[in-house]
Amino acid sequence: MTQALNVELPDVLLGFAKDVFKSLGKPVIIPPEVIARIDRVIDESLVTTLLDVRERERAASPEALKLRIR
Amino acid sequence: MAFRYKLRSITPQDDPRTLLQEIHPPGNSFGEVLSGESKAPQWGAVISLLKYLGAKRLLIQYGIRDPDFLEEHQAFYAKQHRPVTRKCVRIHAFSLDIPIPEKSDETAVLAFLDAAKAQDGSYIGFVTVRPLRHAPVGATIISPPASRMPTAQDAFPVHIAGIEFSVTGTPFLQQDNAVGACAQASIWMALRTIRRRQGNVAYSPAELTVAATRYISSDRTFPGRAGLTVEQMLEAIRFAGHDPLHLAIRNQLTDEEQIQSVLRQAVPYIESGLPVIMGLKHANGGHAVVAIGLQNSSAQQHQEVVTPTQDDGATQITYTPSSAWTSALVIHNDNTGPYQKLGSAPDGNYKLLQTVSLIVPLPDGIYTTAGEAEVLAIRAIVRLAAIFSGGTIGTLTLPEVPFVLRTILSTRHRFREWAKDDATLAPEIVARYRTHELPEHMWVIEIHDKAVFNPGDPSRVSRVGEIVLDASADSVHADALIFGRVTSKLWPSAKASAALLMWEDDQGVGAIGTAGSDFGRSLLKPW
């Protein structure tokens, strides 16, 4: 199975990411702008969105809602 | 007043119909009706289950004022010209194999109960027998058979002559269609199962009928033989203090896709210990059953793989939901009996393929659904991948091995207990999981290595991370992520054995790297 995301990570993120593993056990705070950068990548890549899921789960047909259950 | 207890042995040869004739309430003018020919398969199923579970002795208790039947009586039978007793009979089953004295007097019954209490696990459960020939099986709680163990169950105390016994199981009830159809019976079974956990009121089938028809009705309230629509069922559940989630099952292209769609939507709730009321479109009309457990296989049953990212080769992340290992559901079917199987065999009377809707009686304040939680989990996994692979490989690399997502709703207490007892988690991660401020309910999306995932064998460990989300978040507009953890098992090319925990709170996003990446166990009892 191929798992691929063809995106270059910004140097600033790589710097923070390497810090996390340089000193194991020590918390590192990731700045919001770095997280926002990753989230932009995700937003551009995801096909299935929360709205798709809501549409799939909630779109009950009137026929199903009126089905008499006895 | 006649002595109200009777001891009786039960053997595999006992005929359910003879037994039903034997126990009818003395002095009940409806007795001859009860002792007449009952075609109720539910009664036969209940007696077969007691025999299967090793019942040796029955204690028959007369003069029972069963709260549910009292409500039915008040709503319907009390208004009839012909007298119908308001008292039921209750049958308690024991696996205790001791001689029964010829006469069931006070001394014999109390000695038996003392002996039963002294033997752990001898109490199997009880059946309430209504004085109704068309619907003898009232409120019933019996231990489940090992092969059909439910996830939606609870321990219920039972008091007999000053002694407290306990039975762990899922409440069952046959519909009495004069006061409520299978719709009300299913709601009753579901709500009674979660009553203690969610702390809501327990309504009888008659009260549920009144609640369901309060605002939306096309006929008289009683007799309730017309059943309920899904809209009316939702109203009744709402009236009982729950927040019913209604999931539509849309028509898929193939039967297999239809079954996958049902399982994928229902399994996360059932695995979380929540009963799911299933609306079925049967050849005889609409019918409702309650899904209370899973039949998981060691091998993958359905080839379902989900690709939520663009399938262009450059941007692709795929996963398999754990429901792909579910071969059938364990259900309570008020038409046929407790702990039945709902599968995909084409010749079955009731089958997964007939499902048209699912109703989950959620507690108040669960705003994110399981489906939404899965999408949010994928977003979190990509974030984690950026940090983990960025720090250990140097480029953004998505998980290199196929993985499974198992989605469960958990309480913070259960989650912390799991963290405390999981020796494979690094101490820094355990400390953060146990002390971080958490909401009451959380979606825990476990990440498993697909090559070793085996829900048919709970002792098998395959967990390589988890995403923890606030279940009360508005998933579209609010941030739901609380924790995300991954290990190097997802990135064999990272070489170093390490784990990454990321968390998000009002201070921002934090991350911590730790050594070690052993497979962890699942959170098996999330609630």
Side-chain angles (χ1 to χ4, degrees):
Chain A
M1 185 181 298
T2 309
Q3 307 272 23
L5 200 59
N6 202 5
V7 176
E8 289 287 318
L9 286 177
D11 288 343
V12 62
L13 173 66
L14 286 176
F16 280 107
K18 281 174 183 160
D19 282 351
V20 169
F21 291 96
K22 232 181 260 170
S23 48
L24 292 176
K26 190 179 162 201
V28 173
I29 301 300
I30 315 281
E33 58 270 22
V34 176
I35 293 297
R37 192 85 180 259
I38 302 173
D39 286 350
R40 268 204 302 279
V41 169
I42 299 169
D43 287 336
E44 286 161 12
S45 308
L46 283 177
V47 169
T48 307
T49 66
L50 288 166
L51 291 173
D52 294 332
V53 174
R54 289 211 161 175
E55 166 71 10
R56 185 187 72 209
E57 291 185 335
R58 310 295 165 84
S61 71
E63 187 199 3
L65 284 172
K66 296 289 179 194
L67 179 67
R68 200 152 271 283
I69 292 179
R70 51 189 169 189
Chain B
M1 186 180 286
F3 184 54
R4 53 192 286 260
Y5 293 95
K6 184 180 171 188
L7 273 170
R8 184 197 196 280
S9 62
I10 179 170
T11 67
Q13 288 72 41
D14 271 316
D15 174 39
R17 194 185 303 171
T18 310
L19 185 59
L20 188 58
Q21 286 171 341
E22 184 190 315
I23 62 166
H24 71 78
N28 169 18
S29 61
F30 213 51
E32 77 275 14
V33 178
L34 173 68
S35 61
E37 185 176 337
S38 172
K39 290 179 180 166
Q42 301 89 339
W43 172 253
V46 161
I47 296 303
S48 295
L49 177 59
L50 292 179
K51 291 177 185 173
Y52 177 81
L53 294 170
K56 299 282 190 305
R57 299 288 179 264
L58 301 180
L59 179 66
I60 302 167
Q61 188 181 16
Y62 294 98
I64 293 292
R65 291 173 177 81
D66 177 69
D68 292 296
F69 186 69
L70 283 179
E71 293 285 349
E72 291 179 38
H73 194 273
Q74 189 181 6
F76 189 73
Y77 296 103
K79 294 167 185 162
Q80 295 188 320
H81 172 65
R82 183 172 175 167
V84 177
T85 180
R86 61 195 169 94
K87 293 182 184 175
C88 298
V89 179
R90 191 160 285 156
I91 300 175
H92 301 276
F94 298 85
S95 59
L96 199 65
D97 194 3
I98 59 172
I100 297 179
E102 272 186 29
K103 194 179 172 197
S104 280
D105 58 11
E106 289 94 336
T107 308
V109 167
L110 294 178
F112 174 82
L113 288 170
D114 289 342
K117 181 65 180 174
Q119 187 175 314
D120 272 353
S122 69
Y123 187 69
I124 294 174
F126 68 86
V127 188
T128 305
V129 184
R130 300 180 183 118
L132 307 173
R133 69 172 168 183
H134 62 275
V137 182
T140 295
I141 308 177
I142 303 174
S143 305
S147 60
R148 298 203 181 148
M149 201 51 82
T151 50
Q153 60 175 348
D154 207 345
F156 295 85
V158 179
H159 301 270
I160 314 171
I163 295 180
E164 182 175 313
F165 295 94
S166 175
V167 56
T168 297
T170 310
F172 175 79
L173 178 93
Q174 172 191 10
Q175 68 173 278
D176 166 11
N177 64 13
V179 297
C182 64
Q184 290 92 321
S186 299
I187 297 171
W188 182 91
M189 292 188 273
L191 299 192
R192 207 49 72 92
T193 303
I194 53 180
R195 175 187 178 188
R196 190 173 63 89
R197 275 184 296 162
Q198 297 195 12
N200 285 314
V201 183
Y203 286 105
S204 68
E207 289 170 313
L208 290 169
T209 303
V210 172
T213 54
R214 210 164 34 144
Y215 301 120
I216 316 163
S217 180
S218 58
D219 201 355
R220 297 170 300 166
T221 304
F222 298 111
R225 296 192 174 92
L228 300 177
T229 62
V230 169
E231 284 171 313
Q232 290 175 314
M233 291 172 74
L234 294 170
E235 180 57 32
I237 296 169
R238 203 171 288 120
F239 179 77
H242 298 266
D243 195 12
L245 170 68
H246 179 229
L247 300 170
I249 303 296
R250 301 172 88 179
N251 287 335
Q252 306 291 319
L253 288 175
T254 66
D255 286 357
E256 172 59 16
E257 285 173 352
Q258 192 77 22
I259 290 166
Q260 286 174 9
S261 172
V262 173
L263 291 174
R264 189 168 169 213
Q265 294 193 66
V267 163
Y269 300 98
I270 302 168
E271 247 188 322
S272 306
L274 291 168
V276 174
I277 300 166
M278 308 179 73
L280 308 181
K281 197 171 179 183
H282 187 263
N284 296 337
H287 181 54
V289 299
V290 190
I292 54 172
L294 306 175
Q295 300 252 282
N296 281 328
S297 298
S298 298
Q300 189 175 340
Q301 299 293 300
H302 309 284
Q303 291 305 313
E304 188 176 24
V305 173
V306 181
T307 306
T309 46
Q310 294 173 37
D311 192 9
D312 59 4
T315 312
Q316 190 179 12
I317 181 168
T318 62
Y319 68 94
T320 310
S322 64
S323 58
W325 278 258
T326 302
S327 57
L329 301 180
V330 178
I331 60 166
H332 269 2
N333 185 342
D334 91 294
N335 266 359
T336 55
Y339 306 116
Q340 307 286 303
K341 188 172 150 183
L342 185 70
S344 48
D347 56 346
N349 189 10
Y350 296 101
K351 41 199 167 192
L352 284 169
L353 201 52
Q354 296 162 339
T355 311
V356 291
S357 64
L358 306 171
I359 300 174
V360 191
L362 290 172
D364 194 29
I366 308 291
Y367 300 129
T368 302
T369 67
E372 292 162 350
E374 268 187 26
V375 173
L376 291 169
I378 286 295
R379 293 180 67 92
I381 289 169
V382 180
R383 265 195 192 181
L384 286 157
I387 305 286
F388 190 94
S389 58
T392 57
I393 301 170
T395 58
L396 174 49
T397 311
L398 291 176
E400 294 169 334
V401 299
F403 63 92
V404 174
L405 293 185
R406 176 177 180 259
T407 303
I408 43 175
L409 187 66
S410 177
T411 62
R412 62 171 177 262
H413 306 305
R414 288 284 188 176
F415 177 76
R416 285 179 175 145
E417 282 168 18
W418 164 84
K420 178 174 74 66
D421 296 335
D422 192 333
T424 65
L425 293 172
E428 299 91 336
I429 293 175
V430 173
R432 200 160 281 273
Y433 278 174
R434 291 180 63 188
T435 60
H436 199 87
E437 187 177 346
L438 296 174
E440 186 176 359
H441 295 106
M442 307 179 301
W443 282 108
V444 178
I445 300 94
E446 298 180 348
I447 310 166
H448 291 266
D449 184 336
K450 189 173 176 181
V452 279
F453 181 67
N454 181 358
D457 176 7
S459 66
R460 181 80 73 92
V461 290
S462 57
R463 181 169 170 147
V464 292
E466 59 278 332
I467 307 298
V468 181
L469 305 170
D470 173 12
S472 63
D474 178 355
S475 54
V476 171
H477 301 294
D479 295 321
L481 182 66
I482 301 172
F483 292 122
R485 183 183 70 94
V486 287
T487 73
S488 51
K489 292 273 190 227
L490 287 167
W491 287 275
S493 69
K495 292 187 177 66
S497 173
L500 167 70
L501 175 73
M502 185 187 277
W503 64 92
E504 188 171 336
D505 55 23
D506 50 7
Q507 306 294 310
V509 174
I512 189 168
T514 62
S517 63
D518 290 339
F519 284 127
R521 62 183 178 82
S522 282
L523 205 170
L524 293 175
K525 287 189 177 170
W527 203 333

